[in-house]
Amino acid sequence: MGVWEYEDFAAAREEGKLRHVCVTGSWGLLSSWLVRSLLAKGYNVRSTVHTTAEEAKELMALPGAKERLELTQADLMDYGSLAEVFMGCYGVFHTASPSDLVSNYPPEMIDWEVRGTLNVVEACANAAVKRLVLTSSLSAMVWDHQRTPGACIDEKCWSNLDFCRSKKLWGPLAKTMTEKAAWALARDKELDMVVINPAIVLGPKLLTSRASIMNYLQGMKELPQSGLFAYLHVEDLAQIHISALEITKASGRYICYERVVSEFELVELIRKLYPERSVPSRFSKSGSPHVLTNQKLQTLGIKVQQV
């Protein structure tokens, strides 16, 4: 896979040399913060995120948006429209990711997500994009009943597809299949791609709404592994995506989380944040946190804040 050599980004921003980056995907917590963070750092941004008129107005009200934000249209199922939008961009962020990867994921969306992401990879390669930053998920790593208890989950780990199918874990299945397909095509096309594998993302969606732990837990039948509940703040995740574009030595996959809590800690957190709600019985037991590591992310000098 090719190595991207580019002039220092800080100097480029000072000299006004930065060209366009593109943010694709669906309107959501990450995409909204990523657009805001990119504008704040001086980037010229194209966004193909589908928004309502109210959401578009909200985006265009961000500092720098009138001068450096272009809202455009591209269909993930239409390779040609993607290639056209990516032309002239040296960086693309593909953030299409369901907010709830465990419950309520329609199985018929799996093929759409895989094919859409492959179109993005193909279009990036043919449009001479220098680096694609793809948002995957920690759920593409943790669901494996064959893993030795207590074994550390790192960037070499993958969720077991057969296990996901047997448990009807369509979200993790989609993320695992999508990421594996994207890696295969990126290597074939010699496209420089970095993949971000975040845990549960918390934080405000710009000014209008707030991601909720309870939203994630609604309908969730079980935790991925014994006691596994990891999270991070969306502002950190947006900055991690930008660093994955800017830092030349970034490569491969990156697990992103702030901390892992046990089921007991999770119950106490729910009671503290939502005292008026009852705790789901499936989380009312004590458990030991599974072992995760974000050591690879730390080698880039990236630290995440306390949520």
Side-chain angles (χ1 to χ4, degrees):
M1 189 170 297
V3 177
W4 178 17
E5 296 294 343
Y6 190 71
E7 63 185 318
D8 180 76
F9 273 85
R13 278 194 294 269
E14 288 290 328
E15 298 171 14
K17 292 182 179 179
L18 286 183
R19 294 178 292 168
H20 284 84
V21 295
C22 187
V23 178
T24 73
S26 56
W27 174 255
L29 186 62
L30 174 58
S31 58
S32 60
W33 268 85
L34 185 54
V35 169
R36 180 166 95 166
S37 299
L38 286 165
L39 289 172
K41 297 195 75 172
Y43 283 91
N44 299 302
V45 183
R46 289 177 188 161
S47 173
T48 69
V49 174
H50 293 279
T51 61
T52 64
E54 182 179 349
E55 290 165 342
K57 182 179 180 181
E58 183 180 355
L59 280 175
M60 294 308 299
L62 293 171
K66 290 183 179 180
E67 300 79 17
R68 291 180 283 105
L69 175 60
E70 176 186 357
L71 301 182
T72 185
Q73 297 294 320
D75 184 352
L76 289 179
M77 295 296 106
D78 182 357
Y79 160 80
S81 69
L82 291 170
E84 182 178 352
V85 171
F86 294 165
M87 199 63 63
C89 292
Y90 61 81
V92 170
F93 300 89
H94 184 47
T95 65
S97 175
S99 59
D100 183 351
L101 292 168
V102 178
S103 61
N104 303 323
Y105 185 94
E108 60 271 17
M109 288 292 291
I110 295 175
D111 182 63
W112 180 91
E113 188 166 350
V114 172
R115 290 193 296 124
T117 300
L118 290 179
N119 281 339
V120 169
V121 174
E122 182 88 24
C124 282
N126 292 334
V129 170
K130 298 298 183 180
R131 176 170 289 174
L132 167 63
V133 180
L134 173 66
T135 309
S136 182
S137 170
L138 186 62
S139 70
M141 299 175 164
V142 300
W143 295 87
D144 186 359
H145 64 297
Q146 297 178 341
R147 184 172 293 125
T148 303
C152 183
I153 298 174
D154 60 17
E155 284 77 7
K156 297 187 295 294
C157 295
W158 289 93
S159 289
N160 185 291
L161 296 178
D162 290 335
F163 179 69
C164 290
R165 291 189 183 98
S166 69
K167 292 288 187 177
K168 297 183 179 180
L169 301 171
W170 308 126
L173 179 64
K175 280 322 217 181
T176 307
M177 291 177 61
T178 298
E179 189 187 340
K180 285 190 172 186
W183 276 120
L185 183 58
R187 292 186 178 108
D188 182 64
K189 296 292 182 178
E190 297 186 343
L191 174 67
D192 187 352
M193 184 175 77
V194 176
V195 174
I196 305 301
N197 299 82
I200 298 163
V201 184
L202 303 177
K205 179 181 174 183
L206 294 184
L207 304 176
T208 58
S209 62
R210 181 169 297 274
S212 166
I213 291 177
M214 292 302 291
N215 289 343
Y216 178 85
L217 296 177
Q218 290 298 328
M220 184 174 171
K221 297 179 180 179
E222 57 184 306
L223 292 179
Q225 303 289 345
S226 176
L228 179 58
F229 187 95
Y231 63 85
L232 80 164
H233 194 279
V234 65
E235 186 174 5
D236 286 322
L237 183 57
Q239 293 299 331
I240 288 168
H241 277 70
I242 296 172
S243 295
L245 176 69
E246 293 183 346
I247 298 175
T248 304
K249 67 178 181 179
S251 64
R253 313 167 84 197
Y254 288 91
I255 291 176
C256 302
Y257 68 93
E258 190 270 309
R259 70 179 293 244
V260 181
V261 299
S262 68
E263 293 178 37
F264 175 79
E265 291 174 305
L266 177 58
V267 168
E268 293 303 308
L269 182 60
I270 293 173
R271 286 173 175 163
K272 179 180 179 181
L273 295 177
Y274 308 99
E276 74 285 358
R277 301 193 189 187
S278 60
V279 178
S281 60
R282 59 189 177 278
F283 299 121
S284 61
K285 58 183 180 179
S286 178
S288 301
H290 208 80
V291 181
L292 289 177
T293 177
N294 59 3
Q295 183 176 359
K296 185 181 177 187
L297 183 68
Q298 295 175 29
T299 63
L300 298 180
I302 298 173
K303 295 182 179 180
V304 292
Q305 66 184 11
Q306 294 283 333
V307 177

